[in-house]
Amino acid sequence: MNIVITGGAGFIGSHLCEFLLAKGNRVICIDNLITGSLLNIEPFKDNPKFTFINQDVTKFISIDGNVDWVLHFASLASPVDYLKYPIQTLKVGALGTHNTLGLALAKKARFLLASTSEVYGDPLVNPQKEDYWGNVNCIGPRGVYDESKRFAEAITMAYHRYHGADTRIVRIFNTYGERMRVDDGRVVPNFICQALRGEPLTVYGDGEQTRSFCYISDLVEGMWKLMQVEYHEPINLGNPDEITVLEFAELVSEMVGNRCDIVFKPLPVNDPKVRRPDITRARELLGWQPEVNLRNGLQKTIEYFRSI
Ligand code: UDP
């Protein structure tokens, strides 16, 4: 197949490119490198089936030839990044999704939207099921990301219902692994890099908020399975093993082997208090569930950060 991946030089996008190339597909990666990096595509950039286009997908996208799939993964995805680039965050979720849907329609290609657990905002139910409508502060600092992805889901469903576009929506929960940026600002790279440098780990708030961390290979496998079924409603993909941020800090500290201090910093505004996916739908429809436990995934991720 010929597959267009926006955000293909990012953390998740580059793993997806690599996975799809290994399955023998042609991959056209579009990225403006605002948070993506050419280093992420280095391992496969010389593969003759791989093409890189440096472009902002909020501008009109033109691709020669047949396209079978458009996978829209371009986005600022870390709270630190979307607070730094709020307008770009809104634009890539809104205009970028409109353009990539337009490309899919013009090419009669199938379309997959990378959405997020942030559509649930600071959820009032735990775990989160796909039929939960969420609790989002649209004018809060995180609103730029949450609302851009909620709009992206809305326009994807509208293209499906109105134009008959063959679409998928995946709601991605916290995912980690190799190729996350050292300065990404999210909790996994922050804690690992702080621990490797022997610095104190910065826990925001009292650390009692929870997250559930999914290793990248599990996520990619789930997305591939989603590409094999015809299902248009959103599907949660994530690891349902929930842990508090404080417990996570202790685990990273223990695994890196430096007994690190913990410093408490203010909790960011609207930081969700709990987050855990209900993956019943993915289990039933895709026969998917995560296989990599947190210790094993963290071991690989720590080795990666140690190496760079
Ligand atoms: N967090 C933390 N210390 C850090 C970075 C993040 O305590 O150095 C907390 C953050 O407040 C949140 C959780 O870890 O409660 C996960 O944050 P992250 O930025 O990874 O992504 P989020 O899940 O909020 O989108």
Side-chain angles (χ1 to χ4, degrees), residues 77-80 82 116-118 142 145 173-175 180 184-191 194 201-205 207 209-213 245-246 248-249 263 265-268 270-273 275:
S78 157
V80 172
Y82 51 75
T116 168
S117 54
E118 280 281 333
R142 299 173 85 100
Y145 183 59
F173 283 65
N174 294 69
T175 300
M180 291 186 99
D184 167 290
R186 280 179 284 193
V187 71
V188 175
N190 270 15
F191 284 180
Q194 288 161 348
L201 308 194
T202 53
V203 169
Y204 301 161
Q209 69 273 35
T210 66
R211 293 294 184 274
S212 313
F213 298 102
V245 167
L246 199 53
F248 185 63
V263 287
K265 302 260 182 177
L267 189 68
N270 298 144
D271 195 287
K273 285 179 271 309
R275 185 181 289 152

mmCIF file of all heavy atoms in Angstrom, residues 77-80 82 116-118 142 145 173-175 180 184-191 194 201-205 207 209-213 245-246 248-249 263 265-268 270-273 275, ligand 1:
data_model
loop_
_atom_site.group_PDB
_atom_site.id
_atom_site.type_symbol
_atom_site.label_atom_id
_atom_site.label_comp_id
_atom_site.label_asym_id
_atom_site.label_seq_id
_atom_site.Cartn_x
_atom_site.Cartn_y
_atom_site.Cartn_z
ATOM 1 N N ALA A 77 2.141 17.388 21.014
ATOM 2 C CA ALA A 77 1.475 16.387 21.856
ATOM 3 C C ALA A 77 1.845 16.457 23.335
ATOM 4 O O ALA A 77 1.206 15.815 24.157
ATOM 5 C CB ALA A 77 1.757 14.990 21.321
ATOM 6 N N SER A 78 2.877 17.211 23.656
ATOM 7 C CA SER A 78 3.275 17.337 25.062
ATOM 8 C C SER A 78 2.690 18.630 25.621
ATOM 9 O O SER A 78 2.704 19.658 24.938
ATOM 10 C CB SER A 78 4.795 17.376 25.149
ATOM 11 O OG SER A 78 5.192 18.011 26.348
ATOM 12 N N PRO A 79 2.177 18.607 26.863
ATOM 13 C CA PRO A 79 1.646 19.851 27.448
ATOM 14 C C PRO A 79 2.632 21.015 27.323
ATOM 15 O O PRO A 79 2.233 22.135 27.001
ATOM 16 C CB PRO A 79 1.411 19.473 28.915
ATOM 17 C CG PRO A 79 1.138 18.001 28.882
ATOM 18 C CD PRO A 79 2.003 17.454 27.766
ATOM 19 N N VAL A 80 3.919 20.748 27.505
ATOM 20 C CA VAL A 80 4.918 21.818 27.384
ATOM 21 C C VAL A 80 4.913 22.397 25.969
ATOM 22 O O VAL A 80 4.963 23.614 25.777
ATOM 23 C CB VAL A 80 6.323 21.267 27.732
ATOM 24 C CG1 VAL A 80 7.407 22.287 27.428
ATOM 25 C CG2 VAL A 80 6.384 20.855 29.191
ATOM 26 N N TYR A 82 2.420 22.195 23.639
ATOM 27 C CA TYR A 82 1.218 22.897 23.197
ATOM 28 C C TYR A 82 0.964 24.180 23.963
ATOM 29 O O TYR A 82 0.272 25.057 23.479
ATOM 30 C CB TYR A 82 -0.015 22.007 23.015
ATOM 31 C CG TYR A 82 -0.464 21.076 24.092
ATOM 32 C CD1 TYR A 82 -1.102 21.540 25.226
ATOM 33 C CD2 TYR A 82 -0.336 19.705 23.923
ATOM 34 C CE1 TYR A 82 -1.581 20.660 26.188
ATOM 35 C CE2 TYR A 82 -0.810 18.814 24.881
ATOM 36 C CZ TYR A 82 -1.423 19.304 26.009
ATOM 37 O OH TYR A 82 -1.905 18.432 26.952
ATOM 38 N N THR A 116 -6.790 11.486 21.091
ATOM 39 C CA THR A 116 -6.097 11.449 22.384
ATOM 40 C C THR A 116 -7.058 11.261 23.551
ATOM 41 O O THR A 116 -8.228 11.653 23.469
ATOM 42 C CB THR A 116 -5.341 12.786 22.585
ATOM 43 O OG1 THR A 116 -4.894 12.866 23.938
ATOM 44 C CG2 THR A 116 -6.231 13.992 22.340
ATOM 45 N N SER A 117 -6.544 10.737 24.625
ATOM 46 C CA SER A 117 -7.301 10.650 25.874
ATOM 47 C C SER A 117 -7.622 12.047 26.410
ATOM 48 O O SER A 117 -8.486 12.186 27.279
ATOM 49 C CB SER A 117 -6.485 9.893 26.924
ATOM 50 O OG SER A 117 -5.210 10.478 27.070
ATOM 51 N N GLU A 118 -6.923 13.079 25.908
ATOM 52 C CA GLU A 118 -7.227 14.446 26.348
ATOM 53 C C GLU A 118 -8.635 14.882 25.947
ATOM 54 O O GLU A 118 -9.141 15.857 26.499
ATOM 55 C CB GLU A 118 -6.208 15.436 25.778
ATOM 56 C CG GLU A 118 -4.892 15.480 26.527
ATOM 57 C CD GLU A 118 -4.939 16.307 27.825
ATOM 58 O OE1 GLU A 118 -5.762 17.243 27.920
ATOM 59 O OE2 GLU A 118 -4.162 15.991 28.728
ATOM 60 N N ARG A 142 -4.816 23.954 28.538
ATOM 61 C CA ARG A 142 -4.782 22.690 27.783
ATOM 62 C C ARG A 142 -5.866 22.638 26.722
ATOM 63 O O ARG A 142 -5.881 21.728 25.889
ATOM 64 C CB ARG A 142 -4.968 21.490 28.722
ATOM 65 C CG ARG A 142 -3.907 21.336 29.778
ATOM 66 C CD ARG A 142 -4.275 20.242 30.751
ATOM 67 N NE ARG A 142 -3.875 18.929 30.302
ATOM 68 C CZ ARG A 142 -2.784 18.293 30.740
ATOM 69 N NH1 ARG A 142 -1.979 18.847 31.598
ATOM 70 N NH2 ARG A 142 -2.500 17.091 30.298
ATOM 71 N N TYR A 145 -5.218 22.031 22.956
ATOM 72 C CA TYR A 145 -4.986 20.664 22.477
ATOM 73 C C TYR A 145 -6.287 19.873 22.499
ATOM 74 O O TYR A 145 -6.692 19.269 21.502
ATOM 75 C CB TYR A 145 -3.935 20.000 23.355
ATOM 76 C CG TYR A 145 -3.540 18.602 22.936
ATOM 77 C CD1 TYR A 145 -3.014 18.357 21.669
ATOM 78 C CD2 TYR A 145 -3.666 17.522 23.810
ATOM 79 C CE1 TYR A 145 -2.626 17.069 21.289
ATOM 80 C CE2 TYR A 145 -3.279 16.245 23.443
ATOM 81 C CZ TYR A 145 -2.759 16.024 22.182
ATOM 82 O OH TYR A 145 -2.378 14.752 21.819
ATOM 83 N N PHE A 173 -3.782 6.946 24.633
ATOM 84 C CA PHE A 173 -3.457 7.289 26.026
ATOM 85 C C PHE A 173 -1.930 7.376 26.158
ATOM 86 O O PHE A 173 -1.202 6.986 25.262
ATOM 87 C CB PHE A 173 -4.045 6.238 26.976
ATOM 88 C CG PHE A 173 -5.534 6.395 27.182
ATOM 89 C CD1 PHE A 173 -6.423 6.202 26.132
ATOM 90 C CD2 PHE A 173 -6.051 6.750 28.417
ATOM 91 C CE1 PHE A 173 -7.803 6.367 26.308
ATOM 92 C CE2 PHE A 173 -7.415 6.913 28.609
ATOM 93 C CZ PHE A 173 -8.296 6.724 27.555
ATOM 94 N N ASN A 174 -1.468 7.859 27.316
ATOM 95 C CA ASN A 174 -0.023 8.089 27.523
ATOM 96 C C ASN A 174 0.821 6.940 26.974
ATOM 97 O O ASN A 174 0.655 5.789 27.398
ATOM 98 C CB ASN A 174 0.279 8.244 29.016
ATOM 99 C CG ASN A 174 -0.343 9.502 29.594
ATOM 100 O OD1 ASN A 174 -1.574 9.594 29.698
ATOM 101 N ND2 ASN A 174 0.477 10.460 29.961
ATOM 102 N N THR A 175 1.699 7.275 26.051
ATOM 103 C CA THR A 175 2.556 6.284 25.402
ATOM 104 C C THR A 175 4.005 6.727 25.563
ATOM 105 O O THR A 175 4.290 7.922 25.585
ATOM 106 C CB THR A 175 2.168 6.167 23.918
ATOM 107 O OG1 THR A 175 0.801 5.758 23.844
ATOM 108 C CG2 THR A 175 3.023 5.148 23.181
ATOM 109 N N MET A 180 11.395 9.484 22.208
ATOM 110 C CA MET A 180 10.815 10.682 22.852
ATOM 111 C C MET A 180 11.958 11.678 23.015
ATOM 112 O O MET A 180 13.114 11.288 23.170
ATOM 113 C CB MET A 180 10.226 10.336 24.217
ATOM 114 C CG MET A 180 9.009 9.475 24.139
ATOM 115 S SD MET A 180 8.246 9.221 25.762
ATOM 116 C CE MET A 180 6.936 10.436 25.706
ATOM 117 N N ASP A 184 11.196 16.985 25.882
ATOM 118 C CA ASP A 184 9.783 16.858 25.534
ATOM 119 C C ASP A 184 8.879 17.414 26.647
ATOM 120 O O ASP A 184 7.822 17.964 26.375
ATOM 121 C CB ASP A 184 9.545 15.362 25.277
ATOM 122 C CG ASP A 184 8.118 14.943 25.197
ATOM 123 O OD1 ASP A 184 7.426 14.952 26.231
ATOM 124 O OD2 ASP A 184 7.683 14.593 24.101
ATOM 125 N N GLY A 185 9.334 17.278 27.895
ATOM 126 C CA GLY A 185 8.586 17.869 29.010
ATOM 127 C C GLY A 185 7.591 16.927 29.645
ATOM 128 O O GLY A 185 7.047 17.211 30.712
ATOM 129 N N ARG A 186 7.320 15.781 28.983
ATOM 130 C CA ARG A 186 6.371 14.857 29.594
ATOM 131 C C ARG A 186 7.053 14.045 30.691
ATOM 132 O O ARG A 186 8.274 13.997 30.798
ATOM 133 C CB ARG A 186 5.754 13.947 28.526
ATOM 134 C CG ARG A 186 4.643 14.673 27.798
ATOM 135 C CD ARG A 186 4.020 13.843 26.722
ATOM 136 N NE ARG A 186 4.867 13.768 25.552
ATOM 137 C CZ ARG A 186 4.465 13.308 24.374
ATOM 138 N NH1 ARG A 186 3.232 12.892 24.223
ATOM 139 N NH2 ARG A 186 5.291 13.273 23.351
ATOM 140 N N VAL A 187 6.232 13.389 31.476
ATOM 141 C CA VAL A 187 6.750 12.812 32.715
ATOM 142 C C VAL A 187 7.782 11.709 32.466
ATOM 143 O O VAL A 187 8.752 11.599 33.209
ATOM 144 C CB VAL A 187 5.576 12.340 33.613
ATOM 145 C CG1 VAL A 187 4.877 11.114 33.048
ATOM 146 C CG2 VAL A 187 6.024 12.099 35.033
ATOM 147 N N VAL A 188 7.587 10.907 31.411
ATOM 148 C CA VAL A 188 8.526 9.790 31.215
ATOM 149 C C VAL A 188 9.938 10.296 30.884
ATOM 150 O O VAL A 188 10.892 9.975 31.615
ATOM 151 C CB VAL A 188 7.996 8.782 30.162
ATOM 152 C CG1 VAL A 188 9.040 7.710 29.889
ATOM 153 C CG2 VAL A 188 6.686 8.150 30.643
ATOM 154 N N PRO A 189 10.118 11.119 29.833
ATOM 155 C CA PRO A 189 11.479 11.620 29.595
ATOM 156 C C PRO A 189 12.008 12.495 30.727
ATOM 157 O O PRO A 189 13.197 12.407 31.059
ATOM 158 C CB PRO A 189 11.366 12.427 28.295
ATOM 159 C CG PRO A 189 9.956 12.437 27.910
ATOM 160 C CD PRO A 189 9.184 11.509 28.776
ATOM 161 N N ASN A 190 11.138 13.299 31.337
ATOM 162 C CA ASN A 190 11.612 14.135 32.452
ATOM 163 C C ASN A 190 12.224 13.285 33.559
ATOM 164 O O ASN A 190 13.365 13.503 33.967
ATOM 165 C CB ASN A 190 10.460 14.959 33.040
ATOM 166 C CG ASN A 190 10.319 16.301 32.360
ATOM 167 O OD1 ASN A 190 10.879 16.531 31.285
ATOM 168 N ND2 ASN A 190 9.574 17.199 32.966
ATOM 169 N N PHE A 191 11.445 12.317 34.071
ATOM 170 C CA PHE A 191 11.933 11.530 35.214
ATOM 171 C C PHE A 191 13.183 10.720 34.835
ATOM 172 O O PHE A 191 14.145 10.662 35.589
ATOM 173 C CB PHE A 191 10.841 10.582 35.736
ATOM 174 C CG PHE A 191 9.764 11.263 36.559
ATOM 175 C CD1 PHE A 191 8.713 10.527 37.095
ATOM 176 C CD2 PHE A 191 9.811 12.632 36.815
ATOM 177 C CE1 PHE A 191 7.721 11.137 37.863
ATOM 178 C CE2 PHE A 191 8.819 13.260 37.580
ATOM 179 C CZ PHE A 191 7.767 12.504 38.098
ATOM 180 N N GLN A 194 16.174 13.109 34.416
ATOM 181 C CA GLN A 194 16.573 13.644 35.730
ATOM 182 C C GLN A 194 17.309 12.564 36.520
ATOM 183 O O GLN A 194 18.377 12.818 37.094
ATOM 184 C CB GLN A 194 15.337 14.134 36.498
ATOM 185 C CG GLN A 194 14.747 15.413 35.920
ATOM 186 C CD GLN A 194 13.297 15.673 36.349
ATOM 187 O OE1 GLN A 194 12.621 14.812 36.912
ATOM 188 N NE2 GLN A 194 12.812 16.877 36.061
ATOM 189 N N LEU A 201 13.824 14.358 41.041
ATOM 190 C CA LEU A 201 12.694 14.190 40.121
ATOM 191 C C LEU A 201 11.618 15.217 40.466
ATOM 192 O O LEU A 201 11.263 15.375 41.637
ATOM 193 C CB LEU A 201 12.119 12.779 40.209
ATOM 194 C CG LEU A 201 13.086 11.612 40.063
ATOM 195 C CD1 LEU A 201 12.321 10.318 39.837
ATOM 196 C CD2 LEU A 201 14.064 11.825 38.922
ATOM 197 N N THR A 202 11.114 15.901 39.439
ATOM 198 C CA THR A 202 10.137 16.978 39.663
ATOM 199 C C THR A 202 8.719 16.411 39.611
ATOM 200 O O THR A 202 8.186 16.152 38.537
ATOM 201 C CB THR A 202 10.281 18.057 38.568
ATOM 202 O OG1 THR A 202 10.215 17.396 37.278
ATOM 203 C CG2 THR A 202 11.607 18.796 38.672
ATOM 204 N N VAL A 203 8.125 16.214 40.776
ATOM 205 C CA VAL A 203 6.742 15.730 40.831
ATOM 206 C C VAL A 203 5.827 16.948 40.931
ATOM 207 O O VAL A 203 6.010 17.790 41.812
ATOM 208 C CB VAL A 203 6.531 14.792 42.034
ATOM 209 C CG1 VAL A 203 5.054 14.499 42.257
ATOM 210 C CG2 VAL A 203 7.311 13.496 41.826
ATOM 211 N N TYR A 204 4.868 17.042 40.019
ATOM 212 C CA TYR A 204 3.942 18.172 40.032
ATOM 213 C C TYR A 204 2.755 17.851 40.945
ATOM 214 O O TYR A 204 2.205 16.745 40.894
ATOM 215 C CB TYR A 204 3.430 18.475 38.613
ATOM 216 C CG TYR A 204 4.523 18.812 37.613
ATOM 217 C CD1 TYR A 204 4.283 18.713 36.234
ATOM 218 C CD2 TYR A 204 5.796 19.231 38.015
ATOM 219 C CE1 TYR A 204 5.271 19.030 35.306
ATOM 220 C CE2 TYR A 204 6.790 19.542 37.090
ATOM 221 C CZ TYR A 204 6.518 19.434 35.741
ATOM 222 O OH TYR A 204 7.500 19.722 34.822
ATOM 223 N N GLY A 205 2.365 18.831 41.765
ATOM 224 C CA GLY A 205 1.270 18.615 42.725
ATOM 225 C C GLY A 205 1.749 17.670 43.818
ATOM 226 O O GLY A 205 2.949 17.597 44.123
ATOM 227 N N GLY A 207 1.494 14.430 43.519
ATOM 228 C CA GLY A 207 1.893 13.177 42.886
ATOM 229 C C GLY A 207 0.845 12.080 43.006
ATOM 230 O O GLY A 207 1.080 10.944 42.622
ATOM 231 N N GLN A 209 -2.007 12.151 41.438
ATOM 232 C CA GLN A 209 -2.712 11.981 40.161
ATOM 233 C C GLN A 209 -2.194 10.716 39.471
ATOM 234 O O GLN A 209 -1.052 10.324 39.687
ATOM 235 C CB GLN A 209 -2.541 13.222 39.263
ATOM 236 C CG GLN A 209 -1.156 13.471 38.694
ATOM 237 C CD GLN A 209 -0.254 14.277 39.612
ATOM 238 O OE1 GLN A 209 -0.306 14.159 40.823
ATOM 239 N NE2 GLN A 209 0.616 15.094 39.020
ATOM 240 N N THR A 210 -3.066 10.089 38.683
ATOM 241 C CA THR A 210 -2.677 8.816 38.069
ATOM 242 C C THR A 210 -2.564 8.932 36.548
ATOM 243 O O THR A 210 -3.195 9.792 35.920
ATOM 244 C CB THR A 210 -3.711 7.707 38.374
ATOM 245 O OG1 THR A 210 -4.950 8.044 37.718
ATOM 246 C CG2 THR A 210 -3.940 7.536 39.861
ATOM 247 N N ARG A 211 -1.736 8.054 35.997
ATOM 248 C CA ARG A 211 -1.636 7.862 34.555
ATOM 249 C C ARG A 211 -1.437 6.364 34.311
ATOM 250 O O ARG A 211 -1.101 5.620 35.230
ATOM 251 C CB ARG A 211 -0.435 8.622 33.955
ATOM 252 C CG ARG A 211 -0.540 10.148 34.013
ATOM 253 C CD ARG A 211 -1.660 10.692 33.136
ATOM 254 N NE ARG A 211 -1.696 12.153 33.114
ATOM 255 C CZ ARG A 211 -2.318 12.924 34.002
ATOM 256 N NH1 ARG A 211 -2.963 12.369 35.025
ATOM 257 N NH2 ARG A 211 -2.321 14.238 33.879
ATOM 258 N N SER A 212 -1.591 5.947 33.044
ATOM 259 C CA SER A 212 -1.445 4.541 32.668
ATOM 260 C C SER A 212 -0.571 4.545 31.424
ATOM 261 O O SER A 212 -0.945 5.157 30.426
ATOM 262 C CB SER A 212 -2.812 3.945 32.342
ATOM 263 O OG SER A 212 -3.753 4.305 33.349
ATOM 264 N N PHE A 213 0.581 3.914 31.489
ATOM 265 C CA PHE A 213 1.592 4.091 30.436
ATOM 266 C C PHE A 213 1.669 2.891 29.508
ATOM 267 O O PHE A 213 1.860 1.759 29.944
ATOM 268 C CB PHE A 213 2.964 4.343 31.070
ATOM 269 C CG PHE A 213 3.003 5.597 31.895
ATOM 270 C CD1 PHE A 213 2.932 5.539 33.282
ATOM 271 C CD2 PHE A 213 3.081 6.838 31.278
ATOM 272 C CE1 PHE A 213 2.954 6.695 34.046
ATOM 273 C CE2 PHE A 213 3.101 8.005 32.036
ATOM 274 C CZ PHE A 213 3.034 7.935 33.428
ATOM 275 N N VAL A 245 1.664 9.277 39.936
ATOM 276 C CA VAL A 245 2.898 9.899 39.460
ATOM 277 C C VAL A 245 4.019 9.705 40.486
ATOM 278 O O VAL A 245 5.177 9.465 40.131
ATOM 279 C CB VAL A 245 2.644 11.386 39.127
ATOM 280 C CG1 VAL A 245 3.939 12.151 38.939
ATOM 281 C CG2 VAL A 245 1.766 11.495 37.881
ATOM 282 N N LEU A 246 3.647 9.738 41.781
ATOM 283 C CA LEU A 246 4.651 9.532 42.826
ATOM 284 C C LEU A 246 5.217 8.106 42.779
ATOM 285 O O LEU A 246 6.438 7.903 42.855
ATOM 286 C CB LEU A 246 4.013 9.812 44.193
ATOM 287 C CG LEU A 246 4.954 10.100 45.343
ATOM 288 C CD1 LEU A 246 5.928 11.220 45.023
ATOM 289 C CD2 LEU A 246 4.139 10.471 46.596
ATOM 290 N N PHE A 248 5.317 6.304 40.197
ATOM 291 C CA PHE A 248 6.095 6.232 38.965
ATOM 292 C C PHE A 248 7.496 6.815 39.180
ATOM 293 O O PHE A 248 8.494 6.254 38.710
ATOM 294 C CB PHE A 248 5.350 6.968 37.837
ATOM 295 C CG PHE A 248 6.014 6.845 36.506
ATOM 296 C CD1 PHE A 248 6.165 5.604 35.890
ATOM 297 C CD2 PHE A 248 6.515 7.962 35.853
ATOM 298 C CE1 PHE A 248 6.794 5.487 34.662
ATOM 299 C CE2 PHE A 248 7.149 7.859 34.627
ATOM 300 C CZ PHE A 248 7.292 6.615 34.031
ATOM 301 N N ALA A 249 7.568 7.922 39.939
ATOM 302 C CA ALA A 249 8.872 8.534 40.238
ATOM 303 C C ALA A 249 9.746 7.540 41.003
ATOM 304 O O ALA A 249 10.939 7.382 40.708
ATOM 305 C CB ALA A 249 8.668 9.806 41.057
ATOM 306 N N VAL A 263 11.433 16.487 44.271
ATOM 307 C CA VAL A 263 11.007 17.851 44.627
ATOM 308 C C VAL A 263 9.594 18.046 44.093
ATOM 309 O O VAL A 263 9.273 17.597 42.982
ATOM 310 C CB VAL A 263 11.923 18.968 44.047
ATOM 311 C CG1 VAL A 263 13.235 19.015 44.770
ATOM 312 C CG2 VAL A 263 12.108 18.846 42.560
ATOM 313 N N LYS A 265 6.629 20.346 42.690
ATOM 314 C CA LYS A 265 6.427 21.611 41.962
ATOM 315 C C LYS A 265 4.920 21.812 41.788
ATOM 316 O O LYS A 265 4.155 20.850 41.893
ATOM 317 C CB LYS A 265 7.075 21.522 40.572
ATOM 318 C CG LYS A 265 8.559 21.213 40.599
ATOM 319 C CD LYS A 265 9.348 22.479 40.412
ATOM 320 C CE LYS A 265 10.825 22.161 40.379
ATOM 321 N NZ LYS A 265 11.662 23.293 40.135
ATOM 322 N N PRO A 266 4.518 23.051 41.462
ATOM 323 C CA PRO A 266 3.064 23.285 41.326
ATOM 324 C C PRO A 266 2.438 22.410 40.236
ATOM 325 O O PRO A 266 3.069 22.133 39.217
ATOM 326 C CB PRO A 266 2.983 24.761 40.928
ATOM 327 C CG PRO A 266 4.304 25.347 41.277
ATOM 328 C CD PRO A 266 5.322 24.249 41.243
ATOM 329 N N LEU A 267 1.215 22.011 40.506
ATOM 330 C CA LEU A 267 0.470 21.212 39.522
ATOM 331 C C LEU A 267 0.011 22.124 38.387
ATOM 332 O O LEU A 267 -0.577 23.177 38.639
ATOM 333 C CB LEU A 267 -0.750 20.590 40.219
ATOM 334 C CG LEU A 267 -1.536 19.565 39.416
ATOM 335 C CD1 LEU A 267 -0.709 18.296 39.196
ATOM 336 C CD2 LEU A 267 -2.839 19.210 40.141
ATOM 337 N N PRO A 268 0.295 21.752 37.112
ATOM 338 C CA PRO A 268 -0.201 22.580 36.007
ATOM 339 C C PRO A 268 -1.729 22.712 36.035
ATOM 340 O O PRO A 268 -2.427 21.812 36.515
ATOM 341 C CB PRO A 268 0.246 21.799 34.762
ATOM 342 C CG PRO A 268 1.381 20.937 35.222
ATOM 343 C CD PRO A 268 1.085 20.606 36.650
ATOM 344 N N ASN A 270 -5.505 22.530 35.284
ATOM 345 C CA ASN A 270 -6.368 21.525 34.634
ATOM 346 C C ASN A 270 -5.674 20.177 34.384
ATOM 347 O O ASN A 270 -6.086 19.404 33.508
ATOM 348 C CB ASN A 270 -6.963 22.041 33.307
ATOM 349 C CG ASN A 270 -7.862 23.257 33.481
ATOM 350 O OD1 ASN A 270 -7.875 24.146 32.642
ATOM 351 N ND2 ASN A 270 -8.614 23.320 34.569
ATOM 352 N N ASP A 271 -4.607 19.909 35.097
ATOM 353 C CA ASP A 271 -3.921 18.612 34.967
ATOM 354 C C ASP A 271 -4.903 17.504 35.391
ATOM 355 O O ASP A 271 -5.411 17.531 36.518
ATOM 356 C CB ASP A 271 -2.703 18.625 35.900
ATOM 357 C CG ASP A 271 -1.713 17.522 35.618
ATOM 358 O OD1 ASP A 271 -2.017 16.354 35.943
ATOM 359 O OD2 ASP A 271 -0.632 17.822 35.098
ATOM 360 N N PRO A 272 -5.196 16.541 34.519
ATOM 361 C CA PRO A 272 -6.179 15.513 34.885
ATOM 362 C C PRO A 272 -5.755 14.744 36.137
ATOM 363 O O PRO A 272 -4.596 14.369 36.276
ATOM 364 C CB PRO A 272 -6.217 14.602 33.661
ATOM 365 C CG PRO A 272 -5.775 15.479 32.529
ATOM 366 C CD PRO A 272 -4.750 16.394 33.116
ATOM 367 N N LYS A 273 -6.724 14.494 37.039
ATOM 368 C CA LYS A 273 -6.414 13.830 38.306
ATOM 369 C C LYS A 273 -6.291 12.311 38.135
ATOM 370 O O LYS A 273 -5.576 11.666 38.898
ATOM 371 C CB LYS A 273 -7.490 14.153 39.351
ATOM 372 C CG LYS A 273 -7.339 15.580 39.897
ATOM 373 C CD LYS A 273 -8.399 15.936 40.897
ATOM 374 C CE LYS A 273 -9.653 16.527 40.290
ATOM 375 N NZ LYS A 273 -9.478 17.654 39.352
ATOM 376 N N ARG A 275 -6.341 9.049 34.969
ATOM 377 C CA ARG A 275 -6.458 8.667 33.555
ATOM 378 C C ARG A 275 -6.145 7.181 33.412
ATOM 379 O O ARG A 275 -5.085 6.726 33.809
ATOM 380 C CB ARG A 275 -5.518 9.479 32.680
ATOM 381 C CG ARG A 275 -5.737 9.153 31.209
ATOM 382 C CD ARG A 275 -4.818 9.905 30.310
ATOM 383 N NE ARG A 275 -5.144 11.307 30.230
ATOM 384 C CZ ARG A 275 -4.221 12.243 29.979
ATOM 385 N NH1 ARG A 275 -2.972 11.917 29.822
ATOM 386 N NH2 ARG A 275 -4.588 13.498 29.879
HETATM 387 N N1 UDP B 1 4.413 15.408 35.696
HETATM 388 C C1 UDP B 1 5.235 15.482 36.822
HETATM 389 N N2 UDP B 1 6.534 15.881 36.639
HETATM 390 C C2 UDP B 1 7.059 16.167 35.424
HETATM 391 C C3 UDP B 1 6.223 16.061 34.282
HETATM 392 C C4 UDP B 1 4.906 15.688 34.472
HETATM 393 O O1 UDP B 1 4.814 15.235 37.948
HETATM 394 O O2 UDP B 1 8.259 16.493 35.362
HETATM 395 C C5 UDP B 1 3.032 14.957 35.894
HETATM 396 C C6 UDP B 1 1.978 15.851 35.240
HETATM 397 O O3 UDP B 1 1.590 16.884 36.105
HETATM 398 C C7 UDP B 1 0.862 14.853 34.977
HETATM 399 C C8 UDP B 1 1.603 13.534 34.714
HETATM 400 O O4 UDP B 1 2.902 13.703 35.262
HETATM 401 O O5 UDP B 1 0.060 14.709 36.125
HETATM 402 C C9 UDP B 1 1.716 13.196 33.244
HETATM 403 O O6 UDP B 1 2.166 14.352 32.586
HETATM 404 P P1 UDP B 1 2.624 14.390 31.078
HETATM 405 O O7 UDP B 1 3.175 15.747 30.817
HETATM 406 O O8 UDP B 1 3.500 13.224 30.785
HETATM 407 O O9 UDP B 1 1.332 14.187 30.185
HETATM 408 P P2 UDP B 1 -0.240 14.251 30.431
HETATM 409 O O10 UDP B 1 -0.621 12.887 30.866
HETATM 410 O O11 UDP B 1 -0.560 15.266 31.485
HETATM 411 O O12 UDP B 1 -0.774 14.631 29.119
#
